[in-house]
Amino acid sequence: MTEVTRVPLQPIAKGSLTKLWIGIVVAVLAAAALAWYAAPRGVDVDTVTAGSGPNPGATDVVFVRYTGTLEDGSVFDQSQDIPLPIEGIFPEGNPLPLDRMVPGFTEGAQQMQKGGTYRITIPASQGYGAEGRTDPQGNVVIPPNETLTFEVELVDFMTMPDFERRLATLQQAMQMGAPGDMGGDPSAPEGQAVPQDGIQPAPAPLQ
């Protein structure tokens, strides 16, 4: 039968025990800091000009003016006010349904307030990821693993049911064709006045 060799443990002096615990605590804190540093960064929202009132919800439609830039500072997308034929139904700005945006844009928008201007920094994990985004011609619009920055002015927002009710009112008024109620260019096609399915132009924040 093989005899197990026993290694006697040396007694630890009182001062050494304290140093041992301090060493353990330092090691744990260092590991925690490393884990935090290595963890994926979330969406960063900086207030440029403060707004007021409540925040949009995750399924609301926001009306915004925005400029999207890449890491090198180049502009890849910029909003344009939608020319609506009847004033007073929709606010100014570009309407974006938050439940159709990339996660980072939706998260950032929910921290904004009406009338405010914000800078939203979206990591690739909350944007277009490792695939990036190309246009219909195959040109790269968003490079893979790209951090995006949006300068956003929140003009107003409303719920999706409210947006749909106003859209129905607008379409009904356009069908009636009342000259006194029409504004802007009456010859503009309906698809231009109230774009459907993605509400263009807004290629960057869309999923």
Side-chain angles (χ1 to χ4, degrees):
M1 184 174 180
T2 304
E3 182 179 355
V4 178
T5 303
R6 292 178 174 81
V7 179
L9 296 176
Q10 299 295 328
I12 301 176
K14 293 181 180 179
S16 299
L17 183 60
T18 302
K19 293 178 182 179
L20 176 62
W21 279 111
I22 291 176
I24 293 174
V25 170
V26 170
V28 170
L29 292 177
L34 180 61
W36 177 86
Y37 182 80
R41 293 290 193 265
V43 176
D44 186 22
V45 180
D46 294 321
T47 301
V48 178
T49 304
S52 61
N55 307 105
T59 59
D60 286 346
V61 178
V62 295
F63 288 77
V64 296
R65 296 186 179 97
Y66 70 86
T67 300
T69 56
L70 303 175
E71 293 177 19
D72 62 4
S74 60
V75 175
F76 66 86
D77 186 34
Q78 197 163 25
S79 65
Q80 297 178 4
D81 285 357
I82 302 299
L84 297 173
I86 301 179
E87 297 182 0
I89 294 182
F90 288 111
E92 296 180 351
N94 205 139
L96 300 177
L98 290 183
D99 60 356
R100 293 190 228 166
M101 302 297 107
V102 294
F105 193 90
T106 301
E107 179 182 336
Q110 293 179 78
Q111 301 179 46
M112 301 190 300
Q113 293 175 296
K114 181 179 175 179
T117 306
Y118 304 86
R119 182 178 298 106
I120 305 177
T121 304
I122 304 175
S125 60
Q126 300 293 314
Y128 291 99
E131 296 182 358
R133 183 185 178 94
T134 57
D135 62 18
Q137 289 72 40
N139 301 312
V140 176
V141 179
I142 309 293
N145 301 312
E146 185 80 2
T147 296
L148 307 177
T149 300
F150 286 93
E151 299 282 346
V152 184
E153 175 193 355
L154 179 60
V155 179
D156 206 345
F157 65 93
M158 62 186 64
T159 65
M160 179 59 78
D162 188 13
F163 177 83
E164 292 174 342
R165 283 193 297 269
R166 294 178 186 228
L167 182 59
T169 300
L170 175 62
Q171 291 173 336
Q172 182 179 6
M174 291 179 65
Q175 290 173 359
M176 293 175 62
D181 293 336
M182 301 299 285
D185 182 6
S187 65
E190 181 176 351
Q192 178 183 353
V194 186
Q196 303 292 321
D197 249 353
I199 310 183
Q200 298 293 332
L206 291 174
Q207 290 182 341

